[in-house]
Amino acid sequence: MNAERQSWKEVRDRIRDQILDRTYAPGDKLPRDADIAEQFGCARTTVQRAMQDLSDTGLIERKRKGGTHVRTDPVSRATLDIPITRLEVEKSGATYGYQLIDRRKLPMPRDIAAKLEQVEPIPMLRVQALHLADHNPHIFEDRWVSLETAPEILDVDLTRYSANEWLVRNKPYTRFDLRIYAISADEKIAKMLATEPGSALLVIDRTTWIGTATITSVRSFTVPGYQLLASN
Amino acid sequence: MNAERQSWKEVRDRIRDQILDRTYAPGDKLPRDADIAEQFGCARTTVQRAMQDLSDTGLIERKRKGGTHVRTDPVSRATLDIPITRLEVEKSGATYGYQLIDRRKLPMPRDIAAKLEQVEPIPMLRVQALHLADHNPHIFEDRWVSLETAPEILDVDLTRYSANEWLVRNKPYTRFDLRIYAISADEKIAKMLATEPGSALLVIDRTTWIGTATITSVRSFTVPGYQLLASN
């Protein structure tokens, strides 16, 4: 029993030490927060904060009804925040620019339908746009928007306001799918991003749904040198 | 007042609707969970679960003492779990393989010291290793390990057991920095991954600390076609 006031970091470190010395082995269930709080002589909210941190970094798993377990297969867990592109550019200190390349209603191609898990064809708007930083290409986005879920997009002046910003602000999602990978720029993409064909580009594919209804699917081609960052 | 039993998803959708119709505008503070629970006639834990979901997707921000606010700049938020490479390969159904390429104590080069925010030179072990999937190269990792924080690594048989797995299992971190980007493979990396020079590769740079002490910094070069996935 230690009745002194302990910070949540001290409590976290004590719990982590107990995991590392196998007091609690991988797969083991940890005591209830209230019991740990009593054992350590600290507030239950302090234990909760410590547990949150151990969970955020992937060492333990918390379940609402199943309690807390030591992960059998620890992971390196990171929270990736993908901001609205305009804000990302402005935050970096650069001047944001935006060009609508194309905007048209189109039948949904098969590969997009598959990504959207959409069996029935739905009316879609395809929007291609270029985001600039200090007048240089930054991200080229090739986007499909469901006109069933987001018919209001037809009233948005996409020559001035990006579909990216409009959707993030107005169409929150309940489900998403994210894929990050590298490609070699083909002729078209290279020209769009003012780089050489064959350049290595980071690509971010995102699809969002609200309930079971598709909102949008977008492939973002980033300029060479682009980095996705995360830290805690 | 609605005394019927509501699911957290219904509560989430009601709160989200209030944000979308600007009952709560960007930057506004939401009522306390307890007050929303009373207003909606549901349990406070139901409101907490709904809020967690709205926070996970980046629409609101929760602070322990500052309450809940509607984000001014919503983000698309994703949790990225980077598993131990062996488990990632095995989960995909492939056979995992591992080759130690090189392991040596070396003075810390300047660019690594900068990444580690390390002013004083510390003894480091550099470990280069190849992870294979079905006998094909999968990830080549170029890693630096602090011998101050993780001296036990010198006793690990790195010809059989990867530094990746040993560190994830034995050296939990309190702080990390993650960078994801694309490069064109140079001759050396291309040869290592059995691909052509110039191939586009996804690279994952990770550095971890415990407190202020560096644990490891690793650059993982993934094979062409590799994808990082996240969903909720």
Side-chain angles (χ1 to χ4, degrees):
Chain A
M1 295 274 185
N2 174 3
E4 274 183 52
R5 206 180 128 74
Q6 294 171 85
S7 74
W8 68 265
K9 288 187 181 183
E10 287 166 337
V11 170
R12 174 198 64 194
D13 291 351
R14 286 181 66 181
I15 300 169
R16 189 175 46 214
D17 287 348
Q18 292 185 322
I19 294 171
L20 292 192
D21 71 14
R22 297 287 200 269
T23 304
Y24 304 111
D28 279 2
K29 188 169 182 170
L30 288 164
R32 294 182 316 126
D33 292 354
D35 294 338
I36 293 181
E38 200 187 318
Q39 185 198 339
F40 286 9
C42 66
R44 189 172 148 188
T45 51
T46 306
V47 175
Q48 284 173 338
R49 181 69 189 81
M51 290 293 195
Q52 186 59 49
D53 195 72
L54 292 169
S55 171
D56 284 349
T57 56
L59 193 63
I60 61 170
E61 260 181 321
R62 305 264 279 173
K63 286 187 182 154
R64 272 170 61 72
K65 293 194 175 158
T68 307
H69 285 84
V70 181
R71 285 188 72 122
T72 316
D73 304 325
V75 292
S76 295
R77 178 168 291 170
T79 302
L80 211 59
D81 279 345
I82 302 181
I84 293 169
T85 305
R86 179 176 66 78
L87 301 175
E88 178 193 72
V89 168
E90 290 175 354
K91 208 173 165 188
S92 77
T95 302
Y96 176 72
Y98 166 78
Q99 285 171 14
L100 179 65
I101 306 293
D102 193 35
R103 169 201 182 282
R104 63 179 69 198
K105 289 193 210 177
L106 276 179
M108 187 168 51
R110 200 167 297 195
D111 62 322
I112 300 294
K115 263 206 285 192
L116 299 177
E117 300 173 9
Q118 197 72 40
V119 182
E120 295 297 318
I122 47 169
M124 305 283 286
L125 190 71
R126 185 186 196 177
V127 183
Q128 294 180 302
L130 187 64
H131 302 272
L132 301 107
D134 283 342
H135 310 288
N136 297 313
H138 184 64
I139 291 177
F140 169 67
E141 64 169 65
D142 186 3
R143 180 186 295 274
W144 295 81
V145 184
S146 162
L147 293 175
E148 276 184 0
T149 316
E152 311 93 326
I153 190 112
L154 291 174
D155 301 323
V156 177
D157 181 358
L158 294 174
T159 63
R160 303 181 57 182
Y161 197 68
S162 81
N164 165 246
E165 181 153 1
W166 187 82
L167 285 161
V168 173
R169 290 199 185 280
N170 295 282
K171 292 287 163 184
Y173 52 85
T174 50
R175 183 156 79 89
F176 74 92
D177 180 274
L178 178 71
R179 283 154 203 274
I180 303 165
Y181 50 95
I183 63 154
S184 288
D186 64 18
E187 295 267 346
K188 185 197 156 197
I189 300 292
K191 196 171 168 193
M192 199 63 80
L193 292 174
T195 186
E196 298 300 315
S199 301
L201 308 178
L202 185 75
V203 181
I204 304 165
D205 255 32
R206 254 185 308 169
T207 304
T208 59
W209 293 262
I210 186 150
T212 58
T214 298
I215 303 169
T216 189
S217 184
V218 58
R219 182 165 293 172
S220 298
F221 300 87
T222 67
V223 80
Y226 185 94
Q227 296 196 340
L228 268 177
L229 307 181
S231 60
N232 62 343
Chain B
M1 294 274 187
N2 175 3
E4 275 184 49
R5 205 180 127 74
Q6 294 171 86
S7 74
W8 69 264
K9 289 187 180 182
E10 286 166 338
V11 171
R12 173 198 64 194
D13 292 351
R14 286 180 66 182
I15 299 170
R16 189 175 47 215
D17 287 348
Q18 291 184 323
I19 294 172
L20 292 191
D21 70 15
R22 297 289 199 267
T23 304
Y24 304 111
D28 279 1
K29 187 168 183 170
L30 289 163
R32 295 183 313 127
D33 292 357
D35 294 339
I36 293 180
E38 199 186 320
Q39 185 198 342
F40 285 11
C42 67
R44 192 172 146 187
T45 51
T46 307
V47 175
Q48 284 172 339
R49 181 70 188 81
M51 290 294 193
Q52 184 61 48
D53 195 71
L54 292 169
S55 172
D56 285 349
T57 56
L59 193 64
I60 61 169
E61 261 180 319
R62 303 265 279 175
K63 286 187 181 151
R64 269 170 61 72
K65 293 195 176 159
T68 306
H69 285 85
V70 181
R71 285 188 73 120
T72 316
D73 305 324
V75 293
S76 295
R77 179 167 289 173
T79 301
L80 210 60
D81 280 344
I82 304 181
I84 293 169
T85 304
R86 177 177 66 80
L87 301 174
E88 178 194 73
V89 169
E90 289 175 354
K91 207 172 165 189
S92 77
T95 302
Y96 176 71
Y98 166 78
Q99 284 171 15
L100 178 66
I101 306 294
D102 193 34
R103 167 200 183 283
R104 63 179 71 198
K105 290 192 210 178
L106 275 179
M108 188 169 50
R110 202 168 295 195
D111 63 319
I112 300 296
K115 263 206 286 192
L116 299 178
E117 301 171 10
Q118 197 73 42
V119 183
E120 296 296 318
I122 46 170
M124 305 282 286
L125 189 73
R126 184 185 197 178
V127 183
Q128 295 181 301
L130 187 64
H131 302 271
L132 301 109
D134 283 343
H135 310 288
N136 298 312
H138 185 64
I139 291 178
F140 169 65
E141 66 170 62
D142 186 2
R143 180 186 294 274
W144 295 81
V145 184
S146 162
L147 292 177
E148 274 184 2
T149 315
E152 311 92 325
I153 191 112
L154 291 174
D155 300 324
V156 177
D157 181 358
L158 295 173
T159 62
R160 304 180 56 184
Y161 197 67
S162 81
N164 164 247
E165 181 155 0
W166 187 83
L167 285 160
V168 173
R169 291 199 185 278
N170 294 282
K171 293 287 164 185
Y173 52 84
T174 51
R175 183 157 79 89
F176 74 92
D177 180 274
L178 178 71
R179 283 152 204 274
I180 303 165
Y181 51 95
I183 62 156
S184 288
D186 63 17
E187 295 266 349
K188 186 199 155 195
I189 300 293
K191 198 172 166 190
M192 199 63 79
L193 292 174
T195 185
E196 297 301 315
S199 302
L201 308 180
L202 184 75
V203 181
I204 305 164
D205 255 31
R206 255 185 307 168
T207 304
T208 58
W209 293 263
I210 185 149
T212 58
T214 299
I215 304 171
T216 190
S217 185
V218 59
R219 182 165 292 171
S220 299
F221 301 87
T222 67
V223 81
Y226 185 95
Q227 296 195 341
L228 267 177
L229 307 180
S231 61
N232 62 347

